[in-house]
């Protein structure tokens, strides 16, 4: 591992200050479950790691007027235990899917949103675009885990975040501070992720000297939510495809819908057309399957990953049925 400085600020202002040194060649450390392995592999380089775990304002989950604020060092287990998130079923379902006490007790929700791609070309030092001698390795080589949507440009990786689909479906925002001492903005999560055309663009909108301090989740009455991840193993695993939905219903009929797929594109992939088609319909197993068909109808698989399209369809269908409590009875 290359040497780097370590900073452990105790306030948000100190964190911004510490991130701004070295021309912003610095990185945030939360639970460290992903960042440390990236540094060990030399997949990322940094002059300084800024550990945010000692900042009190980032440690809690709080009720605010129109929602819930989740601090950047709140772990997956703390989120699962919080009564303030009890109504957000899809989040609990994704935490449950991790099946790894180490990740659940140390990993943070914000760290999950900000994590770099799992793409094996990136992890082996070829950058987020996975290029060698000007050629896309994912295009020429093994692309079985790569994108089936949003892959017409140079980025072929899939967004690694497991919570992004459910958070985007909920309409979450992230509070971003820096690089200036007074700079603060709430960014809708659906605009947080980036499909880079250039290596320097990164995978989200964060610029050097910025960090996410909180996730804001709206509390909306009468919303039914569900998530479904297609996993290969019963243990520690990453989804091949996933989906999360938020629905407003009247009896068996859907009044409003948000459907977001995960692990299929460089960003969470919102299925607008499928959601529109569901409004006004009775949600049963056949309808859920039809909506799954619509959600994947414009997929553009690469040479080795057509199988992911069927998985994404199944994830949409099952997350819809899960949201309305019909998954266990379904034939799927
Ligand atoms: C053995 C092992 C297995 C794993 N298995 C899985 C798995 O099966 N599925 C899965 O989804 N994940 C897995 N992970 C990945 C990881 O544990 C999770 O994504 C976790 O939620 C990341 O949270 P963290 O707090 O540890 O993030 P960190 O590792 O601290 O940070 C992750 C990234 O986010 C950035 N970051 C963190 N916080 C902020 C912030 N506040 N503002 C700006 N940037 C920030 C960091 O700079 C870094 O790039 C695994 C990790 C390990 C070590």
């Amino acid at each position: 591992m290359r040497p780097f400085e370590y900073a452990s600020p105790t306030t948000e202002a100190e964190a911004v200050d510490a991130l701004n040194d070295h021309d912003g060649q610095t990185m945030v450390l939360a639970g460290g479950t992903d960042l440390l392995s990236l540094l060990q592999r030399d997949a990322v380089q940094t002059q300084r790691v800024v550990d945010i775990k000692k900042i009190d304002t980032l440690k809690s989950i709080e009720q605010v007027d129109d929602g819930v604020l989740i601090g950047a060092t709140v772990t997956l287990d703390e989120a699962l235990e919080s009564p303030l998130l009890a109504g957000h079923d899809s989040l609990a379902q994704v935490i449950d899917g991790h099946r790894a006490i180490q990740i659940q007790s140390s990993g943070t929700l914000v760290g999950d949103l900000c994590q770099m791609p799992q793409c094996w070309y990136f992890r082996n030092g070829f950058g987020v675009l996975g290029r060698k001698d000007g050629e896309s390795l994912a295009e020429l080589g093994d692309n079985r885990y790569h994108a089936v949507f949003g892959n017409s440009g140079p980025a072929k990786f899939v967004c690694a975040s497991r919570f992004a689909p459910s958070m985007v479906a909920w309409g979450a925002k992230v509070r971003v501070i820096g690089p200036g001492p007074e700079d603060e903005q709430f960014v809708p999560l659906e605009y947080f992720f980036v499909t880079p055309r250039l290596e320097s663009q990164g995978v989200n909108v964060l610029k050097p000297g910025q960090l996410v301090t909180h996730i804001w989740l709206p509390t909306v009455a009468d919303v039914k939510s569900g998530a479904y991840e297609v996993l290969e193993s019963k243990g520690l695993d990453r989804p091949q495809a996933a989906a999360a939905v938020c629905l407003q219903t009247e009896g068996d009929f859907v009044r409003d819908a948000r459907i977001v797929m995960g692990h299929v594109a460089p960003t969470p992939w919102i299925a607008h057309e499928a959601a529109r088609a569901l409004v006004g319909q009775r949600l049963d197993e056949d309808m859920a399957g039809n909506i799954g068909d619509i959600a994947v109808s414009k997929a553009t698989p690469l040479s080795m990953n057509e199988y992911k399209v069927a998985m994404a369809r199944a994830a949409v269908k099952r997350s819809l049925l899960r949201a309305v409590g019909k998954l266990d009875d379904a034939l799927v």
Side-chain angles (χ1 to χ4, degrees), residues 19 26-38 44 49-50 52-53 58 71-76 94 97-100 102-104 106-116 118 123 160-163 175-176 192 204 206 210-214 229 231 235-239 263:
L19 284 168
T26 54
M27 291 192 86
V28 177
L29 175 78
T33 59
D34 198 42
L35 181 61
L36 293 180
S37 68
L38 284 175
V44 296
V49 158
V50 179
I52 57 172
K53 284 194 291 298
L58 308 186
T73 58
V74 169
T75 65
L76 273 49
V94 176
H98 274 66
R99 301 174 190 140
Q102 306 92 323
I103 304 296
Q104 288 177 216
S106 313
T108 62
L109 289 173
V110 173
D112 170 88
L113 296 178
C114 296
Q115 67 178 296
M116 298 298 288
Q118 288 302 318
R123 299 263 155 181
S161 171
R162 290 175 74 163
F163 292 96
R175 176 175 177 259
V176 175
F192 178 72
N204 59 45
L206 291 179
Q210 291 188 316
L211 78 152
V212 174
T213 63
H214 295 85
E229 296 181 315
L231 295 161
L236 195 58
D237 196 7
R238 292 179 182 281
H263 301 272

Side-chain angles (χ1 to χ4, degrees), residues 173-254:
K173 296 180 183 177
V174 284
R175 176 175 177 259
V176 175
I177 60 170
E182 306 296 324
D183 294 344
E184 178 198 41
Q185 51 183 313
F186 279 84
V187 180
L189 197 59
E190 65 180 279
Y191 303 121
F192 178 72
F193 299 94
V194 165
T195 302
R197 296 201 67 80
L198 302 170
E199 194 61 41
S200 57
Q201 285 175 298
V203 299
N204 59 45
V205 299
L206 291 179
K207 299 279 176 283
Q210 291 188 316
L211 78 152
V212 174
T213 63
H214 295 85
I215 301 165
W216 171 83
L217 263 187
T219 31
V220 190
D222 302 332
V223 170
K224 293 179 173 152
S225 66
Y228 193 93
E229 296 181 315
V230 182
L231 295 161
E232 246 178 327
S233 100
K234 287 194 189 307
L236 195 58
D237 196 7
R238 292 179 182 281
Q240 310 280 305
V245 304
C246 280
L247 305 174
Q248 287 183 302
T249 55
E250 247 173 60
D252 280 349
F253 289 87
V254 175

Side-chain angles (χ1 to χ4, degrees), residues 96-146:
D96 196 42
H98 274 66
R99 301 174 190 140
I101 49 173
Q102 306 92 323
I103 304 296
Q104 288 177 216
S105 60
S106 313
T108 62
L109 289 173
V110 173
D112 170 88
L113 296 178
C114 296
Q115 67 178 296
M116 298 298 288
Q118 288 302 318
C119 166
W120 44 36
Y121 302 116
F122 166 69
R123 299 263 155 181
N124 283 295
F126 293 99
V128 287
L129 299 181
R131 295 181 88 80
K132 188 179 176 197
D133 302 330
E135 305 268 26
S136 163
L137 293 169
E139 212 160 85
L140 301 174
D142 192 333
N143 51 38
R144 78 186 94 155
Y145 298 129
H146 287 77

